[in-house]
Amino acid sequence: LVLHPGAHLNSPLEEALERVALGVETALYNSKSDTMVLLETMAGQGTTIGSTFKELGTILKQTSPKSKIGVCLDTCHVFAAGHDIKKPGGMKETMDLLVQVVGLERIQLIHANDSMDVCGNLKDRHQNIGKGEIGSKPFIELLAHPAVTNAPLILETPGAEPEHGSEVTMLKKMRDK
């Protein structure tokens, strides 16, 4: 289950992070299923929680059981939040930081998409891979990173066929390089 952590609105960020952690922990504790909750990285609009890896890491540290909570990395969102994954080595640098903060085992899913807007713009506007501001080259670094070896990728891009078919083919070729 992928969810956006929410927004802190007028409350202090630390209090909001505690509330999110308590809410997720309560839901996990009361759940009779093995469903894993994945906190999605956010673009940073308004008072949204989760645009920094530190915020996600704080929630993860405060939540049990650890086996039922992880992270969904959204490539457009991390770019919008200011991680320059477009520059050479930028995706690896960003993934290394995410692993350092949340742990390798917590990265469970990737939302793969390009961005209509420039890095750091805090806008969640997805684009087809290779047709936006990120471009296609950073996805080669992403697919080569150990953190995504077992993490499925889900396209979150505009359109349908044939765009999605060609994007899937392109990502498979990048992965197999």
Side-chain angles (χ1 to χ4, degrees):
L1 171 67
V2 178
L3 61 88
H4 294 185
H8 61 85
L9 302 174
N10 295 323
S11 64
L13 177 61
E14 290 305 316
E15 287 178 20
L17 293 172
E18 288 176 17
R19 278 195 312 274
V20 171
L22 179 61
V24 170
E25 186 171 71
T26 301
L28 291 173
Y29 179 78
N30 291 315
S31 173
K32 299 201 183 333
S33 79
D34 290 330
T35 300
M36 181 175 252
V37 171
L38 303 180
L39 303 174
E40 185 170 351
T41 56
M42 302 306 298
Q45 294 168 301
T47 63
T48 301
I49 296 170
S51 63
T52 72
F53 299 157
K54 181 181 177 187
E55 291 170 1
L56 295 175
T58 298
I59 295 167
L60 292 172
K61 286 176 187 161
Q62 296 178 9
T63 309
S64 289
K66 303 292 184 207
S67 62
K68 292 177 78 174
I69 186 163
V71 171
C72 170
L73 172 88
D74 185 297
T75 55
C76 173
H77 295 176
V78 296
F79 187 68
H83 294 276
D84 191 357
I85 59 175
K86 179 179 182 172
K87 71 179 182 184
M91 181 68 82
K92 181 184 181 320
E93 179 182 299
T94 298
M95 293 305 298
D96 289 347
L97 178 61
L98 182 60
V99 168
Q100 178 185 346
V101 174
V102 305
L104 184 69
E105 71 285 354
R106 298 278 178 250
I107 303 166
Q108 294 289 317
L109 182 66
I110 309 295
H111 282 173
N113 40 62
D114 208 322
S115 174
M116 290 183 185
D117 290 297
V118 297
C119 182
N121 206 3
L122 308 180
K123 292 185 179 177
D124 180 6
R125 296 182 57 210
H126 297 195
Q127 180 58 283
N128 295 94
I129 294 174
K131 296 184 178 177
E133 292 294 325
I134 298 171
S136 58
K137 288 183 181 178
F139 290 90
I140 297 169
E141 285 182 36
L142 175 68
L143 293 165
H145 198 279
V148 300
T149 302
N150 295 313
L153 271 70
I154 295 176
L155 285 176
E156 276 197 332
T157 57
E161 292 297 332
E163 290 94 352
H164 288 159
S166 63
E167 286 176 292
V168 169
T169 300
M170 176 176 47
L171 289 169
K172 284 181 179 179
K173 286 180 183 176
M174 290 176 185
R175 178 196 63 203
D176 296 338
K177 283 188 176 187

